[in-house]
Amino acid sequence: MSVVEVMSTAKKWEVFPGKNKFCCNGRLIMGNQTAIFYVTLFLIVIVTGLFFGSDCPYLAVRLSPAIPVAGILLFLFVISFLLHTSCTDPGIIPRATKEEAADLEKQTGGPSAVCGRDLPLRTRELTINGVLFKLKYCQTCRIFRPPRASHCSICDNCVERFDHHCPWVGNCIGKRNYRYFYLFLVSVSMHCIFICAFSVTTLVLISIENENGFVAALKTSPGSIVEAVIAFFSLWSVIGLAGFHTYLVSCNLTTNEDIKKNSASKSDRRNPFSRGSLCSNYCEVICGPTPPRSTTFTR
């Protein structure tokens, strides 16, 4: 069978030129570097397991059986949003075919594809709500990137509404998975607060009940101090990230745009994508419908 025949019969995810990893026949897509994602998943599962093994049996009897129930719900929310973020197409823009690239070269007066040279840096201009945008040409994908899109060097794709590449979730954060990423940050922040608070509560209650105090608590429930320390030190980073992205959502900005805005002149800092109010921006980013895929990898 010739190379052309193989390419024609193969599914898109099997011949996809980017650096992503695919699962379930192309239905699930992740970034190229997933090792840190498994570290994230491992830490969440281990700390939660310690909490249910060390604290929940005691707290359910001593305080309320609602505590383990709330812990289970929070854990399910965290895992669900993490997997949605990690395994969802972030908004990959399809690369131009050879025919489309050649046609674009003719339209822009670029060099012929047979010259063996890279295309020069070219831009197109587009005005959105009175703000002028320069659409940059992507040398890799052979397309003019739409507004808010950027090329991820790690995954080697142009991504719509590109925010950043997050190694902790093993994927790019873009138009189609940003809401899941934000909800993951919020839920994991609540989860850390929950575990830290109730593991300390366990140690305090055991200390009160025993004559040897805190030393007895450590011997009775050593897992509580381990999970409290991990949750405490994780808490500050995830709450900081959740707060930062809450600000971005309220302004309808991305991390990429916020960095560029801070380095731009005052006249270039207007945000044409803002809906004018915090509530409207929040509803558009978090509550709006999930955009369809630009590429169906299963076919």
Side-chain angles (χ1 to χ4, degrees), residues 56-72:
C56 283
Y58 174 80
L59 292 171
V61 175
R62 187 70 168 75
L63 295 180
S64 171
I67 293 173
V69 174
I72 290 173

Side-chain angles (χ1 to χ4, degrees), residues 34-228:
T34 56
I36 301 181
F37 159 73
Y38 293 113
V39 172
T40 304
L41 187 61
F42 175 79
L43 284 174
I44 292 171
V45 172
I46 288 298
V47 173
T48 305
L50 282 173
F51 176 71
F52 283 113
S54 300
D55 299 329
C56 283
Y58 174 80
L59 292 171
V61 175
R62 187 70 168 75
L63 295 180
S64 171
I67 293 173
V69 174
I72 290 173
L73 290 175
L74 275 174
F75 173 71
L76 292 176
F77 277 126
V78 170
I79 293 298
S80 175
F81 291 134
L82 173 62
L83 294 179
H84 270 82
T85 304
S86 302
C87 301
T88 298
D89 175 3
I92 296 172
I93 302 173
R95 302 189 184 196
T97 62
K98 291 182 179 180
E99 294 75 15
E100 291 170 339
D103 184 61
L104 186 60
E105 288 177 12
K106 293 179 182 179
Q107 294 178 26
T108 56
S112 172
V114 298
C115 293
R117 294 179 294 171
D118 288 333
L119 292 172
L121 180 64
R122 294 169 298 191
T123 60
R124 285 179 174 176
E125 294 184 345
L126 177 68
T127 302
I128 301 176
N129 293 333
V131 177
L132 182 65
F133 280 86
K134 291 184 177 181
L135 308 183
K136 292 184 178 180
Y137 184 83
C138 178
Q139 301 280 8
T140 303
C141 300
R142 302 290 184 178
I143 59 170
F144 279 100
R145 291 195 292 262
R148 317 190 85 178
S150 187
H151 190 90
C152 175
S153 59
I154 298 174
C155 295
D156 200 25
N157 297 307
C158 281
V159 178
E160 289 187 87
R161 200 184 183 278
F162 179 78
D163 191 272
H164 68 290
H165 182 93
C166 181
W168 294 102
V169 301
N171 204 353
C172 289
I173 308 301
K175 186 176 183 178
R176 298 190 71 253
N177 67 346
Y178 180 82
R179 74 185 61 191
Y180 303 125
F181 174 72
Y182 175 74
L183 292 172
F184 166 68
L185 290 179
V186 173
S187 60
V188 80
S189 298
M190 295 173 63
H191 194 49
C192 285
I193 293 172
F194 183 86
I195 288 179
C196 189
F198 280 107
S199 58
V200 171
T201 301
T202 300
L203 293 172
V204 171
L205 290 175
I206 295 176
S207 299
I208 294 172
E209 293 172 351
N210 287 270
E211 294 180 357
N212 293 329
F214 190 68
V215 176
L218 291 180
K219 292 180 178 180
T220 304
S221 183
S224 297
I225 190 64
V226 174
E227 70 205 43

